[in-house]
Amino acid sequence: MANLKALRARIASVKSTRKITQAMKMVAAAKLRRAQAQAEAARPYAERMGRMLASLGAAAASSPEAPKLLVGTGSDQTHLLVVVTGERGLAGAFNTNAARYARTRIRELEAKGKTVKVITVGRKGTAFLKREMGSRIVQEISYASVKRVGFDQAQEIADRITALLEAGEFDVCTLIYNRFRSVISQVPGEQQLIPTALPAANDNPAEAVGGALYEYEPGEEELLTALLPKNLAIQIYRAILESVAGFYGSQMNAMDNATRNAGEMINKLTLNYNRTRQANITSELIEIISGAEAL
């Protein structure tokens, strides 16, 4: 009977777990719809902004007074990686994939003799990279207490990067995050922020701005000085939105798998319980019959 009691307790425990995972799946699905809409709405603006600044900066890049956000420091010895992950777990391999991508990128750069510095955005990425790459982390940023991360937080991160650039702390800045493709697909990738990716010399500058050529007033350098910091924040904000949408998509899938696994486990435990109970009943009947025959 003790075995039956243990099986009943385990079945009840798995049923409680299934209720939790099912509730988390529903919550993640509700949050995913909003996060996905925000990420998809931000893409056209961020992509258009990047292309426009690339075209605008092509003419100003050769100037000795070109902004550092456009051309960098002229060197590529020190690389700053901004790694965006989630603040919470229970999302499958979502956080691990981005952190592993960053770790691989760090090793590739150091193998080439480069110096690597890291800014982590999100507690999970920080915890992962600290185990092996803790000495490279220069800043840890967490918004776990913020109910909904917005553009203000992206602007804060952009301001920190700009301050490090002005202080000569790095030469190249790259953003690493999970790109949201679909509910079941979040692919880690990278985007160079500083220096700005410029079109090749044989490219047509008009292609970057929709097939048109423009004359600017004021000049390109003044416009770049005003727009480059804004673009930096926009690209970071887009990465955060993509990461948030990917997190909820991955969490919804993870909780769905956990719910189905719990259901399968409950069925197996219930079958085992019924077989054990039947065996105990049969054993008791045999004992009763044997006793009656002995009399």
Side-chain angles (χ1 to χ4, degrees), residues 45-73:
Y45 183 83
E47 291 173 357
R48 191 75 172 183
M49 184 77 158
R51 291 199 303 267
M52 186 270 290
L53 284 176
S55 177
L56 182 62
S62 59
S63 172
E65 299 180 358
K68 285 186 177 181
L69 288 175
L70 176 66
V71 298
T73 62

PDB file of all heavy atoms in Angstrom, residues 45-73:
ATOM      1  N   TYR A  45      10.947  50.670 -39.986  1.00  0.00           N
ATOM      2  CA  TYR A  45      11.524  51.961 -39.615  1.00  0.00           C
ATOM      3  C   TYR A  45      13.024  51.826 -39.376  1.00  0.00           C
ATOM      4  O   TYR A  45      13.823  52.645 -39.866  1.00  0.00           O
ATOM      5  CB  TYR A  45      10.825  52.493 -38.365  1.00  0.00           C
ATOM      6  CG  TYR A  45      11.292  53.868 -37.941  1.00  0.00           C
ATOM      7  CD1 TYR A  45      10.780  55.021 -38.533  1.00  0.00           C
ATOM      8  CD2 TYR A  45      12.260  54.014 -36.939  1.00  0.00           C
ATOM      9  CE1 TYR A  45      11.206  56.268 -38.156  1.00  0.00           C
ATOM     10  CE2 TYR A  45      12.698  55.269 -36.554  1.00  0.00           C
ATOM     11  CZ  TYR A  45      12.166  56.393 -37.159  1.00  0.00           C
ATOM     12  OH  TYR A  45      12.602  57.637 -36.768  1.00  0.00           O
ATOM     13  N   ALA A  46      13.423  50.789 -38.611  1.00  0.00           N
ATOM     14  CA  ALA A  46      14.841  50.616 -38.294  1.00  0.00           C
ATOM     15  C   ALA A  46      15.651  50.319 -39.547  1.00  0.00           C
ATOM     16  O   ALA A  46      16.758  50.856 -39.736  1.00  0.00           O
ATOM     17  CB  ALA A  46      15.006  49.487 -37.268  1.00  0.00           C
ATOM     18  N   GLU A  47      15.115  49.481 -40.438  1.00  0.00           N
ATOM     19  CA  GLU A  47      15.840  49.149 -41.666  1.00  0.00           C
ATOM     20  C   GLU A  47      15.965  50.363 -42.586  1.00  0.00           C
ATOM     21  O   GLU A  47      17.011  50.612 -43.175  1.00  0.00           O
ATOM     22  CB  GLU A  47      15.128  48.008 -42.387  1.00  0.00           C
ATOM     23  CG  GLU A  47      15.216  46.683 -41.641  1.00  0.00           C
ATOM     24  CD  GLU A  47      14.367  45.602 -42.281  1.00  0.00           C
ATOM     25  OE1 GLU A  47      13.672  45.924 -43.276  1.00  0.00           O
ATOM     26  OE2 GLU A  47      14.392  44.453 -41.801  1.00  0.00           O
ATOM     27  N   ARG A  48      14.895  51.129 -42.697  1.00  0.00           N
ATOM     28  CA  ARG A  48      14.923  52.325 -43.546  1.00  0.00           C
ATOM     29  C   ARG A  48      15.879  53.376 -42.981  1.00  0.00           C
ATOM     30  O   ARG A  48      16.613  54.039 -43.720  1.00  0.00           O
ATOM     31  CB  ARG A  48      13.509  52.909 -43.633  1.00  0.00           C
ATOM     32  CG  ARG A  48      13.335  53.990 -44.676  1.00  0.00           C
ATOM     33  CD  ARG A  48      13.287  53.401 -46.059  1.00  0.00           C
ATOM     34  NE  ARG A  48      12.935  54.399 -47.062  1.00  0.00           N
ATOM     35  CZ  ARG A  48      12.765  54.125 -48.330  1.00  0.00           C
ATOM     36  NH1 ARG A  48      12.921  52.900 -48.774  1.00  0.00           N
ATOM     37  NH2 ARG A  48      12.445  55.074 -49.186  1.00  0.00           N
ATOM     38  N   MET A  49      15.872  53.492 -41.665  1.00  0.00           N
ATOM     39  CA  MET A  49      16.777  54.443 -41.005  1.00  0.00           C
ATOM     40  C   MET A  49      18.226  54.058 -41.265  1.00  0.00           C
ATOM     41  O   MET A  49      19.075  54.897 -41.585  1.00  0.00           O
ATOM     42  CB  MET A  49      16.495  54.458 -39.503  1.00  0.00           C
ATOM     43  CG  MET A  49      17.312  55.467 -38.728  1.00  0.00           C
ATOM     44  SD  MET A  49      16.695  57.145 -38.939  1.00  0.00           S
ATOM     45  CE  MET A  49      17.364  57.940 -37.487  1.00  0.00           C
ATOM     46  N   GLY A  50      18.528  52.764 -41.147  1.00  0.00           N
ATOM     47  CA  GLY A  50      19.887  52.305 -41.388  1.00  0.00           C
ATOM     48  C   GLY A  50      20.338  52.537 -42.821  1.00  0.00           C
ATOM     49  O   GLY A  50      21.461  52.980 -43.065  1.00  0.00           O
ATOM     50  N   ARG A  51      19.449  52.257 -43.791  1.00  0.00           N
ATOM     51  CA  ARG A  51      19.811  52.467 -45.199  1.00  0.00           C
ATOM     52  C   ARG A  51      19.990  53.940 -45.519  1.00  0.00           C
ATOM     53  O   ARG A  51      20.898  54.324 -46.261  1.00  0.00           O
ATOM     54  CB  ARG A  51      18.732  51.858 -46.107  1.00  0.00           C
ATOM     55  CG  ARG A  51      18.670  50.341 -46.072  1.00  0.00           C
ATOM     56  CD  ARG A  51      17.948  49.798 -47.294  1.00  0.00           C
ATOM     57  NE  ARG A  51      16.604  50.352 -47.417  1.00  0.00           N
ATOM     58  CZ  ARG A  51      15.513  49.778 -46.919  1.00  0.00           C
ATOM     59  NH1 ARG A  51      15.615  48.655 -46.237  1.00  0.00           N
ATOM     60  NH2 ARG A  51      14.321  50.313 -47.108  1.00  0.00           N
ATOM     61  N   MET A  52      19.131  54.773 -44.964  1.00  0.00           N
ATOM     62  CA  MET A  52      19.226  56.200 -45.236  1.00  0.00           C
ATOM     63  C   MET A  52      20.525  56.783 -44.685  1.00  0.00           C
ATOM     64  O   MET A  52      21.214  57.554 -45.364  1.00  0.00           O
ATOM     65  CB  MET A  52      18.023  56.925 -44.626  1.00  0.00           C
ATOM     66  CG  MET A  52      17.943  58.413 -44.975  1.00  0.00           C
ATOM     67  SD  MET A  52      18.802  59.467 -43.787  1.00  0.00           S
ATOM     68  CE  MET A  52      17.739  59.299 -42.362  1.00  0.00           C
ATOM     69  N   LEU A  53      20.902  56.381 -43.468  1.00  0.00           N
ATOM     70  CA  LEU A  53      22.139  56.896 -42.882  1.00  0.00           C
ATOM     71  C   LEU A  53      23.360  56.342 -43.606  1.00  0.00           C
ATOM     72  O   LEU A  53      24.386  57.027 -43.708  1.00  0.00           O
ATOM     73  CB  LEU A  53      22.195  56.541 -41.401  1.00  0.00           C
ATOM     74  CG  LEU A  53      21.301  57.385 -40.484  1.00  0.00           C
ATOM     75  CD1 LEU A  53      21.368  56.888 -39.059  1.00  0.00           C
ATOM     76  CD2 LEU A  53      21.700  58.851 -40.531  1.00  0.00           C
ATOM     77  N   ALA A  54      23.259  55.097 -44.088  1.00  0.00           N
ATOM     78  CA  ALA A  54      24.378  54.547 -44.851  1.00  0.00           C
ATOM     79  C   ALA A  54      24.606  55.349 -46.123  1.00  0.00           C
ATOM     80  O   ALA A  54      25.744  55.652 -46.501  1.00  0.00           O
ATOM     81  CB  ALA A  54      24.102  53.083 -45.184  1.00  0.00           C
ATOM     82  N   SER A  55      23.524  55.704 -46.802  1.00  0.00           N
ATOM     83  CA  SER A  55      23.649  56.500 -48.021  1.00  0.00           C
ATOM     84  C   SER A  55      24.138  57.910 -47.702  1.00  0.00           C
ATOM     85  O   SER A  55      24.995  58.452 -48.398  1.00  0.00           O
ATOM     86  CB  SER A  55      22.299  56.564 -48.733  1.00  0.00           C
ATOM     87  OG  SER A  55      22.376  57.389 -49.868  1.00  0.00           O
ATOM     88  N   LEU A  56      23.586  58.477 -46.629  1.00  0.00           N
ATOM     89  CA  LEU A  56      23.980  59.833 -46.242  1.00  0.00           C
ATOM     90  C   LEU A  56      25.431  59.882 -45.800  1.00  0.00           C
ATOM     91  O   LEU A  56      26.158  60.841 -46.076  1.00  0.00           O
ATOM     92  CB  LEU A  56      23.066  60.324 -45.106  1.00  0.00           C
ATOM     93  CG  LEU A  56      23.271  61.745 -44.588  1.00  0.00           C
ATOM     94  CD1 LEU A  56      23.025  62.759 -45.691  1.00  0.00           C
ATOM     95  CD2 LEU A  56      22.351  62.011 -43.405  1.00  0.00           C
ATOM     96  N   GLY A  57      25.875  58.827 -45.120  1.00  0.00           N
ATOM     97  CA  GLY A  57      27.238  58.818 -44.596  1.00  0.00           C
ATOM     98  C   GLY A  57      28.295  58.477 -45.613  1.00  0.00           C
ATOM     99  O   GLY A  57      29.480  58.691 -45.370  1.00  0.00           O
ATOM    100  N   ALA A  58      27.885  57.947 -46.782  1.00  0.00           N
ATOM    101  CA  ALA A  58      28.867  57.568 -47.793  1.00  0.00           C
ATOM    102  C   ALA A  58      29.684  58.770 -48.248  1.00  0.00           C
ATOM    103  O   ALA A  58      30.891  58.664 -48.496  1.00  0.00           O
ATOM    104  CB  ALA A  58      28.162  56.915 -48.981  1.00  0.00           C
ATOM    105  N   ALA A  59      29.034  59.932 -48.342  1.00  0.00           N
ATOM    106  CA  ALA A  59      29.735  61.135 -48.792  1.00  0.00           C
ATOM    107  C   ALA A  59      30.561  61.757 -47.682  1.00  0.00           C
ATOM    108  O   ALA A  59      31.601  62.366 -47.935  1.00  0.00           O
ATOM    109  CB  ALA A  59      28.722  62.147 -49.330  1.00  0.00           C
ATOM    110  N   ALA A  60      30.112  61.611 -46.436  1.00  0.00           N
ATOM    111  CA  ALA A  60      30.795  62.269 -45.323  1.00  0.00           C
ATOM    112  C   ALA A  60      31.870  61.409 -44.690  1.00  0.00           C
ATOM    113  O   ALA A  60      32.652  61.895 -43.860  1.00  0.00           O
ATOM    114  CB  ALA A  60      29.771  62.662 -44.251  1.00  0.00           C
ATOM    115  N   ALA A  61      31.929  60.129 -45.057  1.00  0.00           N
ATOM    116  CA  ALA A  61      32.870  59.224 -44.391  1.00  0.00           C
ATOM    117  C   ALA A  61      34.321  59.610 -44.638  1.00  0.00           C
ATOM    118  O   ALA A  61      35.190  59.358 -43.795  1.00  0.00           O
ATOM    119  CB  ALA A  61      32.624  57.788 -44.862  1.00  0.00           C
ATOM    120  N   SER A  62      34.601  60.205 -45.779  1.00  0.00           N
ATOM    121  CA  SER A  62      35.982  60.574 -46.117  1.00  0.00           C
ATOM    122  C   SER A  62      36.429  61.861 -45.443  1.00  0.00           C
ATOM    123  O   SER A  62      37.607  62.206 -45.474  1.00  0.00           O
ATOM    124  CB  SER A  62      36.127  60.705 -47.630  1.00  0.00           C
ATOM    125  OG  SER A  62      35.226  61.689 -48.132  1.00  0.00           O
ATOM    126  N   SER A  63      35.505  62.570 -44.826  1.00  0.00           N
ATOM    127  CA  SER A  63      35.859  63.828 -44.182  1.00  0.00           C
ATOM    128  C   SER A  63      36.607  63.582 -42.874  1.00  0.00           C
ATOM    129  O   SER A  63      36.250  62.680 -42.109  1.00  0.00           O
ATOM    130  CB  SER A  63      34.586  64.642 -43.896  1.00  0.00           C
ATOM    131  OG  SER A  63      34.894  65.785 -43.109  1.00  0.00           O
ATOM    132  N   PRO A  64      37.637  64.371 -42.575  1.00  0.00           N
ATOM    133  CA  PRO A  64      38.367  64.194 -41.307  1.00  0.00           C
ATOM    134  C   PRO A  64      37.525  64.539 -40.092  1.00  0.00           C
ATOM    135  O   PRO A  64      37.872  64.156 -38.974  1.00  0.00           O
ATOM    136  CB  PRO A  64      39.557  65.147 -41.454  1.00  0.00           C
ATOM    137  CG  PRO A  64      39.134  66.149 -42.474  1.00  0.00           C
ATOM    138  CD  PRO A  64      38.231  65.430 -43.408  1.00  0.00           C
ATOM    139  N   GLU A  65      36.433  65.261 -40.289  1.00  0.00           N
ATOM    140  CA  GLU A  65      35.560  65.628 -39.174  1.00  0.00           C
ATOM    141  C   GLU A  65      34.320  64.740 -39.094  1.00  0.00           C
ATOM    142  O   GLU A  65      33.347  65.080 -38.420  1.00  0.00           O
ATOM    143  CB  GLU A  65      35.129  67.091 -39.322  1.00  0.00           C
ATOM    144  CG  GLU A  65      36.284  68.080 -39.296  1.00  0.00           C
ATOM    145  CD  GLU A  65      35.818  69.515 -39.444  1.00  0.00           C
ATOM    146  OE1 GLU A  65      34.596  69.724 -39.597  1.00  0.00           O
ATOM    147  OE2 GLU A  65      36.668  70.422 -39.390  1.00  0.00           O
ATOM    148  N   ALA A  66      34.341  63.599 -39.746  1.00  0.00           N
ATOM    149  CA  ALA A  66      33.199  62.679 -39.714  1.00  0.00           C
ATOM    150  C   ALA A  66      32.978  62.167 -38.292  1.00  0.00           C
ATOM    151  O   ALA A  66      33.940  61.900 -37.564  1.00  0.00           O
ATOM    152  CB  ALA A  66      33.444  61.514 -40.654  1.00  0.00           C
ATOM    153  N   PRO A  67      31.733  62.055 -37.853  1.00  0.00           N
ATOM    154  CA  PRO A  67      31.450  61.592 -36.486  1.00  0.00           C
ATOM    155  C   PRO A  67      31.990  60.188 -36.236  1.00  0.00           C
ATOM    156  O   PRO A  67      32.013  59.340 -37.130  1.00  0.00           O
ATOM    157  CB  PRO A  67      29.918  61.616 -36.408  1.00  0.00           C
ATOM    158  CG  PRO A  67      29.476  62.518 -37.516  1.00  0.00           C
ATOM    159  CD  PRO A  67      30.505  62.382 -38.592  1.00  0.00           C
ATOM    160  N   LYS A  68      32.406  59.925 -34.999  1.00  0.00           N
ATOM    161  CA  LYS A  68      32.921  58.602 -34.650  1.00  0.00           C
ATOM    162  C   LYS A  68      31.851  57.526 -34.780  1.00  0.00           C
ATOM    163  O   LYS A  68      32.157  56.369 -35.069  1.00  0.00           O
ATOM    164  CB  LYS A  68      33.466  58.619 -33.221  1.00  0.00           C
ATOM    165  CG  LYS A  68      34.804  59.324 -33.068  1.00  0.00           C
ATOM    166  CD  LYS A  68      35.327  59.154 -31.650  1.00  0.00           C
ATOM    167  CE  LYS A  68      36.699  59.802 -31.497  1.00  0.00           C
ATOM    168  NZ  LYS A  68      37.231  59.623 -30.119  1.00  0.00           N
ATOM    169  N   LEU A  69      30.594  57.897 -34.535  1.00  0.00           N
ATOM    170  CA  LEU A  69      29.523  56.917 -34.671  1.00  0.00           C
ATOM    171  C   LEU A  69      29.398  56.419 -36.107  1.00  0.00           C
ATOM    172  O   LEU A  69      28.882  55.330 -36.343  1.00  0.00           O
ATOM    173  CB  LEU A  69      28.184  57.518 -34.222  1.00  0.00           C
ATOM    174  CG  LEU A  69      28.001  57.753 -32.727  1.00  0.00           C
ATOM    175  CD1 LEU A  69      26.687  58.464 -32.462  1.00  0.00           C
ATOM    176  CD2 LEU A  69      28.055  56.430 -31.959  1.00  0.00           C
ATOM    177  N   LEU A  70      29.893  57.205 -37.056  1.00  0.00           N
ATOM    178  CA  LEU A  70      29.826  56.825 -38.464  1.00  0.00           C
ATOM    179  C   LEU A  70      31.044  56.021 -38.886  1.00  0.00           C
ATOM    180  O   LEU A  70      30.917  54.960 -39.499  1.00  0.00           O
ATOM    181  CB  LEU A  70      29.700  58.072 -39.343  1.00  0.00           C
ATOM    182  CG  LEU A  70      29.709  57.832 -40.853  1.00  0.00           C
ATOM    183  CD1 LEU A  70      28.467  57.053 -41.267  1.00  0.00           C
ATOM    184  CD2 LEU A  70      29.790  59.166 -41.603  1.00  0.00           C
ATOM    185  N   VAL A  71      32.218  56.497 -38.561  1.00  0.00           N
ATOM    186  CA  VAL A  71      33.448  55.888 -39.076  1.00  0.00           C
ATOM    187  C   VAL A  71      34.256  55.176 -38.012  1.00  0.00           C
ATOM    188  O   VAL A  71      35.263  54.535 -38.321  1.00  0.00           O
ATOM    189  CB  VAL A  71      34.324  56.973 -39.748  1.00  0.00           C
ATOM    190  CG1 VAL A  71      33.602  57.586 -40.934  1.00  0.00           C
ATOM    191  CG2 VAL A  71      34.716  58.069 -38.743  1.00  0.00           C
ATOM    192  N   GLY A  72      33.833  55.257 -36.757  1.00  0.00           N
ATOM    193  CA  GLY A  72      34.595  54.624 -35.692  1.00  0.00           C
ATOM    194  C   GLY A  72      35.873  55.379 -35.379  1.00  0.00           C
ATOM    195  O   GLY A  72      35.988  56.587 -35.624  1.00  0.00           O
ATOM    196  N   THR A  73      36.860  54.673 -34.868  1.00  0.00           N
ATOM    197  CA  THR A  73      38.132  55.291 -34.490  1.00  0.00           C
ATOM    198  C   THR A  73      39.208  55.120 -35.561  1.00  0.00           C
ATOM    199  O   THR A  73      40.313  55.625 -35.411  1.00  0.00           O
ATOM    200  CB  THR A  73      38.644  54.683 -33.175  1.00  0.00           C
ATOM    201  OG1 THR A  73      38.875  53.277 -33.368  1.00  0.00           O
ATOM    202  CG2 THR A  73      37.637  54.894 -32.048  1.00  0.00           C
TER     203      THR A  73
END
